[in-house]
């Protein structure tokens, strides 16, 4: 990967990928020139001036620097400083619109200034007991010591902030800028040490692969493979949060493949690697695992731009998890997976509950998995209107997602078969649209009901009431709603000519 670092016109200002081979002075000059072009919010420099006036330094750090270099917008701004938490509170007093100290035991003070949310953390030099993932908090005295404890080198860069022109200092002791330019994900310390401190970082690696398109360094993937079991130390809620971010990234297939290849998937969604054992019944040249990844990519292509859909992506990835336990070899040599959608829906419900997904996500994903094969009973359009209505009713508010999932589930290389399946689904969608339109018309009622017709005309129940009703319905369809007075006038005029 080649990262879209800050540019001036069409030329890249710095070429960090070559940084290790350049003299230190030249490298620092180019880095600092790059930093001067960063779009750092004015509020950051303004805050930096307050810290400098108080005798402290303040650095924009971590993902905030990474995203600024990549020209990616970020919600919050993260800072680190040599000031202790109580001192931080004193420096921002009278400047911040609000502060909160819920993280102060970890050295973090939250600040709000106008529309900006900031977090300022004292340099840390933590130790971990390597039983859980909570550090034994210890404040540090150096920026480099703080940066080395961070997860990845691309998140271990810092920029000193203040308004003095040409005086910003870029700090990158672990080669994060070069890694960013090369699209490489590596750790400041050894990956074994980093992942032992916090095993969740292994999932974060897969998440960054998905979100940013990075490629993990070989030593990172080796450590992930060797230490996958350490993920059992992490709560399911945190595992779910990282997995969801991975799925919602720009390249989720790459992230999932990393989880499967390193064995981490066994501790997150073991049903996914299990699909490598099953053979797709339509195209036996590829396994169900590969098929599911393709379906995921095709479902993403059908999303609204800029609106990633977690429910649809989960359903696309997991729609065939019921195949391995239902796999049977038929007498004619073909492989079948009878009722895998029913079994799969139950498996999905169990897995998503285990990962602590909200009930509505569990229900929606499992229902999509349950329904994803229903269309294949449609044949060449032989469904009755009632069968089409049941399809719509069973999908309910999930109907549009079901359309996308079913269309994405076609991964055959046989172009004629693929085109036939798409035409067949086009036909089903047309039937649904026609029925909806008709049923909207059917739901329209005339302005007078049967009782009112009988009372106004003084007639008993019978065919004449039905004829009058149809006349009023036709008027309603043609002219829209009528007032009670107009409806009665029209009814009496019709009766004078027809009764």
């Amino acid at each position: 990967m080649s990262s879209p670092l800050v540019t001036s016109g069409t030329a890249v200002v710095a070429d960090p990928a070559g940084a290790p081979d350049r003299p230190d002075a030249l490298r620092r000059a180019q880095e600092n020139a790059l930093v001067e072009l960063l779009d750092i919010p004015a509020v950051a420099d303004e805050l930096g001036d307050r810290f400098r006036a108080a005798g402290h330094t303040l650095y924009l750090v971590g993902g905030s620097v990474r995203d600024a270099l990549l020209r990616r917008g970020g919600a919050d701004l993260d800072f680190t400083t040599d000031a202790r938490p109580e001192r931080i509170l004193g420096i921002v007093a009278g400047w911040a619109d609000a502060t909160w100290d819920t993280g102060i035991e970890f050295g973090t003070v939250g600040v709000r200034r106008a529309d900006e949310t900031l977090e300022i953390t004292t340099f840390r030099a933590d130790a971990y007991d390597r039983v859980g993932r909570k550090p034994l908090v210890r404040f540090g005295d150096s920026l480099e010591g703080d940066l080395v404890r961070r997860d990845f080198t691309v998140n271990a860069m810092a920029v000193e902030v203040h308004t003095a022109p040409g005086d910003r200092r870029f700090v990158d002791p672990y080669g994060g800028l070069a890694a960013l330019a090369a699209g490489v994900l590596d750790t400041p310390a050894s990956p074994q040490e980093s992942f032992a401190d916090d095993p969740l970082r292994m999932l974060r690696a897969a998440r960054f692969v998905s979100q940013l398109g990075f490629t993990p360094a070989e030593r990172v993937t080796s450590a992930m493979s060797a230490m996958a079991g350490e993920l059992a130390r992490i709560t399911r809620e945190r595992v779910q949060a990282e997995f969801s971010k991975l799925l919602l990234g720009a390249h989720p297939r790459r992230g999932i493949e990393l989880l499967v290849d390193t064995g981490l998937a066994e501790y997150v969604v073991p049903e996914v690697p299990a699909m490598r054992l099953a053979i797709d019944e339509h195209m036996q040249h590829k396994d169900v695992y590969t098929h599911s990844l393709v379906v995921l990519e095709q479902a993403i292509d059908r999303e609204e731009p800029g609106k990633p859909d977690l429910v649809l992506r989960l359903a696309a990835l997991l729609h065939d998890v019921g195949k391995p336990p239902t796999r049977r070899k038929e007498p004619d040599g073909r492989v079948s997976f009878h009722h895998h959608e029913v079994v799969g829906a139950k498996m999905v419900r169990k897995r998503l509950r285990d990962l602590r997904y909200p009930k509505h996500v569990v229900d929606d994903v499992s229902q999509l998995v349950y329904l994803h094969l229903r269309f294949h009973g449609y044949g060449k359009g032989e469904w009755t209107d009632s069968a089409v209505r049941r399809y719509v009713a069973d999908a309910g508010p999930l109907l549009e997602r079901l359309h996308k999932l079913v269309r994405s589930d076609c991964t055959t290389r046989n172009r004629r078969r693929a085109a036939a399946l798409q035409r067949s689904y086009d036909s089903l969608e047309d039937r649904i649209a026609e029925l909806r339109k008709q049923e909207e018309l059917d739901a329209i009622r005339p302005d007078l009901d049967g009782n009112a017709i009988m009372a106004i005309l003084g007639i008993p129940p019978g065919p004449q009431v039905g004829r009058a009703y149809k006349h009023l319905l036709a008027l309603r369809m043609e002219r829209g709603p009528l007032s009670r007075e107009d409806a009665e006038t029209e009814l009496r005029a019709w009766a004078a000519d027809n009764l």
Side-chain angles (χ1 to χ4, degrees), residues 85-166:
E86 295 76 12
R87 184 69 173 136
I88 296 173
L89 287 169
I91 292 172
V92 301
W95 178 84
D97 295 327
T99 62
W100 54 95
D101 59 5
T102 50
I104 201 165
E105 64 178 306
F106 299 104
T108 300
V109 173
V111 174
R112 181 172 57 80
R113 170 78 169 180
D115 295 330
E116 298 282 0
T117 301
L118 323 171
E119 284 196 349
I120 308 167
T121 303
T122 301
F123 293 161
R124 298 264 292 270
D126 302 333
Y128 290 78
D129 62 11
R130 300 189 175 178
V131 175
R133 65 180 293 268
K134 290 185 178 181
L136 305 174
V137 178
R138 183 161 59 87
F139 297 142
D141 297 315
S142 74
L143 176 61
E144 288 74 11
D146 178 273
L147 296 177
V148 75
R149 52 170 288 278
R150 294 178 180 267
D151 53 3
F152 300 105
T153 59
V154 294
N155 296 329
M157 297 178 284
V159 177
E160 186 177 359
V161 286
H162 45 70
T163 56

Side-chain angles (χ1 to χ4, degrees), residues 226-254:
M227 302 176 69
E230 293 294 308
L231 198 61
R233 290 162 44 191
I234 307 301
T235 65
R236 303 307 280 167
E237 289 83 359
R238 289 189 174 275
V239 169
Q240 181 253 99
E242 288 296 330
F243 184 58
S244 295
K245 291 175 184 177
L246 182 160
L247 280 177
L248 292 173
H251 314 280
R253 176 172 180 167
R254 293 181 60 181

Side-chain angles (χ1 to χ4, degrees), residues 253-266:
R253 176 172 180 167
R254 293 181 60 181
I256 292 162
E257 288 174 333
L258 179 60
L259 292 183
V260 171
D261 292 345
T262 58
L264 281 166
E266 298 291 346

Side-chain angles (χ1 to χ4, degrees), residues 6-26:
V6 173
T7 61
S8 175
T10 58
V12 177
V13 173
D15 176 19
D21 299 326
R22 295 197 306 271
D24 288 345
L26 175 59

Side-chain angles (χ1 to χ4, degrees), residues 428-485:
L428 175 58
E429 287 203 59
D430 289 343
R431 288 275 303 281
I432 291 171
E434 289 170 5
L435 279 174
R436 278 179 164 171
K437 184 176 181 180
Q438 183 59 50
E439 286 167 3
E440 286 173 4
L441 296 177
D442 290 345
I444 295 175
R445 298 291 182 265
D447 299 286
L448 300 172
D449 62 16
N451 290 329
I453 291 170
M454 289 187 288
I456 292 167
L457 298 181
I459 59 176
Q464 292 178 329
V465 177
R467 289 169 57 205
Y469 185 92
K470 287 181 180 179
H471 172 71
L472 291 176
L473 178 59
L475 284 176
R476 175 73 166 78
M477 298 286 286
E478 180 181 349
R479 294 167 51 183
L482 300 176
S483 68
R484 173 80 182 199
E485 181 180 356

Side-chain angles (χ1 to χ4, degrees), residues 5 34 45 108 113 122 144 155 157-158 163 167 180-181 210 217 296 311 319 332 341 375 421 433 456 458 470 490:
L5 292 177
L34 177 63
D45 285 330
T108 300
R113 170 78 169 180
T122 301
E144 288 74 11
N155 296 329
M157 297 178 284
T163 56
D167 196 25
L180 191 65
S210 171
L296 171 62
V311 167
H319 74 284
D332 63 1
E341 75 282 9
F375 156 72
L421 285 170
I456 292 167
K470 287 181 180 179
E490 292 290 347

